[in-house]
């Protein structure tokens, strides 16, 4: 298994990739107060802040690409309050309108690293100078 992070042109965000080797893997995830937007090769989902350590199982050969947002940036860019996704990993289509998810999913499927990096920069630019809009996930 390999993992790498790199800074992007969005303060408070890190782009990361994790590759699982030829055998399934279990990874311990420690609470860090961050939100992540993740691509697992077939879907986009949000990992809310965890309140306790947990284990995550990954199949052999899996690749994950994600954006980790700290310091309140995740709720601002993703448009969802952090407490509403705490200890959860909802699919992005449960949080955003279908058209927006479809468009981003298509871009990410073609180039996960480039598309997520570009989305973060575009989202930050579009939100400068205005309060973030949030949508409740509670029904």
């Amino acid at each position: 298994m390999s993992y790498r992070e790199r800074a992007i042109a969005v303060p408070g965000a890190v782009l990361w990739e994790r590759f699982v080797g030829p055998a399934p893997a279990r990874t311990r995830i420690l609470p860090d107060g961050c939100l992540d937007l993740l691509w697992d090769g077939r879907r986009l989902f949000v990992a809310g802040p965890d309140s306790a350590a947990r284990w995550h199982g990954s199949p052999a050969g899996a690749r994950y690409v994600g954006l980790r947002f700290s310091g309140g940036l995740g709720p601002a860019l993703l448009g969802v309050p952090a407490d509403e996704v705490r200890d959860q990993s909802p699919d992005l289509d449960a949080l955003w309108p279908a058209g927006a998810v479809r468009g981003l999913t298509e871009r990410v499927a073609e180039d996960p690293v480039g598309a997520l990096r570009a989305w973060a920069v575009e989202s930050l630019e579009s939100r400068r100078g205005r309060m973030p809009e949030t949508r409740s996930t509670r029904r």
Side-chain angles (χ1 to χ4, degrees):
M1 183 167 45
S2 69
Y3 177 87
R4 94 180 210 185
E5 289 185 355
R6 51 190 143 184
I8 61 173
V10 176
V14 173
L15 180 71
W16 60 268
E17 292 180 84
R18 185 165 69 95
F19 299 93
V20 178
R26 275 183 48 150
T27 306
R28 187 171 175 117
I29 299 174
L30 300 174
D32 61 5
C34 297
L35 264 76
D36 289 62
L37 175 61
L38 294 103
W39 172 251
D40 68 1
R42 57 185 175 78
R43 68 187 175 102
L44 285 165
F45 60 101
V46 174
D50 292 313
S51 60
R54 64 183 175 88
W55 289 98
H56 175 75
S58 298
R63 176 187 183 205
Y64 300 91
V65 179
L67 289 167
R68 178 168 299 118
F69 302 108
S70 62
L73 183 61
L77 294 186
L78 293 170
V80 61
D83 65 329
E84 290 194 10
V85 293
R86 181 179 51 239
D87 298 323
Q88 298 177 47
S89 295
D91 285 352
L92 191 59
D93 62 10
L95 306 173
W96 285 10
V101 174
R102 189 171 32 259
L104 182 57
T105 299
E106 289 170 359
R107 288 172 52 193
V108 172
E110 290 179 20
D111 176 13
V113 171
L116 286 175
R117 179 187 298 123
W119 176 83
V121 171
E122 293 163 9
S123 295
L124 180 64
E125 289 299 318
S126 72
R127 285 167 173 73
R128 285 194 195 273
R130 64 180 174 97
M131 293 298 293
E133 297 173 15
T134 60
R135 177 177 157 203
S136 176
T137 58
R138 293 191 182 134
R139 307 234 191 279

